[in-house]
Amino acid sequence: MNVGLKTPILPADQAAVTAAARCLAAGGLVAFPTETVYGLGADATSAAAIARLYQAKGRPSFNPLIAHIRDGDGAAQIARFDAAAMALAEAFWPGPLTLVLPKSENCTIADLATAGLETVAIRVPAHPVAREILRAFGGPVVAPSANLSGHVSPTTAAHVQSDLADRIDLIVDGGPVEVGVESTIIACFEQPMLLRPGGVPRAEIERVLGRALAQAPHTNRSQPLAPGMLASHYAPRTKVRLDAESVENGEALLAFGSGAIPGANAANVVMNLSMRGDLNEAAANLFGHLRALDANGARAIAVMPVPHHGLGEAINDRLRRASVERK
């Protein structure tokens, strides 16, 4: 293990894939790219490895983890699929969709990863590096975002290094990620329910299902149903002010689109999610821009309004969580 020393960063090639698989098999922690954000991987069947992951991230032990699976056949060994779950898996896997399903009788995912729940969160990632690592390892891998818990999620290997360089064993550098926000999470029980908006927009999921998704209640659970449901999550250290119509003294500005708001010229620093108002571009830039603004030393980050349609729902969800004051 390499914890406590400078964590090696390997370019994403076959040697890195082999090293990652060996490290995971030995109970190690490996950061690698997915199409959403960089994940911090650990053997999903090993409680000891998962405990190390919780410690490395400082992640609350009651927050369940997503198990990443190499293909649908592997997922079927871990969870029970109803018709709705099968339809969603066929439509969106591999891809940024997580399904929360009842555990199968032979589910091998460690209880620590499911936080004691009788359900398991699973997805099949689309990123070629993630898929090669899963294939080489041969089993399920839990892979929450590769950052300290509560910090902004990482979209580059450099982001991972800044948070976890002395806490984990290996970083596989596959370049910047494409989607930039985490996976959409759907619970498939009596009625499919949206637990977390993300990389697959609600409208596309509802089109496949042929019906509207139920909405999870916005409560401050001490026992979340799924990853990413803590009220204060994805939070930078700097205070975040949403739907800003002007920039106040000492604030940085997170802008969207080509328009301007009063005080923008006097902002400590300005970063724009997408000058052309493209929500896909905004999603890819979100966490990187928040990290950069958080490091600027401004007294607050003023955020211009972002539309709520399409990927805007996931972006606004992350911004809302980032703005929650932590106790």
Side-chain angles (χ1 to χ4, degrees):
M1 301 305 167
N2 199 67
V3 173
L5 303 174
K6 186 176 180 180
T7 303
I9 302 178
L10 300 180
D13 55 18
Q14 190 55 52
V17 168
T18 300
R22 289 176 177 169
C23 185
L24 290 168
L29 303 180
V30 178
F32 58 87
T34 76
E35 71 275 23
T36 56
V37 298
Y38 271 71
L40 179 58
D43 181 354
T45 68
S46 169
I50 294 164
R52 285 193 58 217
L53 185 151
Y54 280 132
Q55 183 178 29
K57 279 181 63 70
R59 188 183 179 101
S61 60
F62 51 78
N63 204 6
L65 303 172
I66 297 171
H68 291 63
I69 317 296
R70 61 181 174 178
D71 55 33
D73 290 340
Q77 298 174 22
I78 290 169
R80 300 198 305 271
F81 285 72
D82 61 11
M86 286 295 297
L88 293 176
E90 290 174 0
F92 300 113
W93 281 357
L97 176 71
T98 293
L99 298 177
V100 179
L101 303 170
K103 292 178 180 176
S104 69
E105 291 183 2
N106 301 315
C107 180
T108 57
I109 304 300
D111 287 341
L112 190 58
T114 63
L117 301 175
E118 291 304 313
T119 57
V120 61
I122 56 177
R123 87 176 183 98
V124 178
H127 196 289
V129 175
R131 292 177 63 78
E132 282 298 306
I133 290 173
L134 289 169
R135 182 197 58 76
F137 175 60
V141 173
V142 293
S145 56
N147 56 282
L148 292 174
S149 185
H151 285 197
V152 179
S153 296
T155 54
T156 68
H159 293 162
V160 179
Q161 185 181 37
S162 69
D163 264 16
L164 300 176
D166 61 346
R167 293 170 174 252
I168 65 176
D169 302 298
L170 177 65
I171 300 171
V172 178
D173 186 356
V177 302
E178 294 181 4
V179 177
V181 293
E182 288 90 344
S183 60
T184 303
I185 301 180
I186 303 295
C188 289
F189 305 132
E190 293 182 3
Q191 182 178 359
M193 176 184 294
L194 177 65
L195 300 185
R196 181 182 76 182
V200 179
R202 177 201 299 262
E204 294 185 21
I205 295 168
E206 292 179 337
R207 175 182 53 78
V208 170
L209 293 174
R211 54 177 158 162
L213 287 166
Q215 183 69 45
H218 290 294
T219 58
N220 206 349
R221 296 182 182 89
S222 61
Q223 180 72 33
L225 290 173
M229 292 191 69
L230 292 178
S232 177
H233 207 63
Y234 318 105
R237 290 175 289 272
T238 307
K239 179 181 178 181
V240 174
R241 185 169 65 86
L242 302 181
D243 297 322
E245 296 181 353
S246 63
V247 180
E248 299 175 1
N249 185 45
E251 289 186 328
L253 175 63
L254 183 61
F256 178 82
S258 58
I261 59 175
N265 291 337
N268 280 30
V269 64
V270 177
M271 300 192 76
N272 199 312
L273 292 170
S274 174
M275 279 291 295
R276 62 178 187 267
D278 185 316
L279 289 172
N280 288 323
E281 181 181 22
N285 287 332
L286 177 62
F287 288 128
H289 283 13
L290 278 176
R291 277 183 173 269
L293 294 176
D294 193 28
N296 177 258
R299 69 172 185 83
I301 301 170
V303 183
M304 288 175 60
V306 176
H308 285 262
H309 61 81
L311 281 179
E313 184 176 18
I315 294 168
N316 280 288
D317 176 79
R318 300 305 184 275
L319 289 171
R320 177 180 59 80
R321 295 174 188 272
S323 69
V324 173
E325 292 189 10
R326 287 171 289 177
K327 298 180 180 178

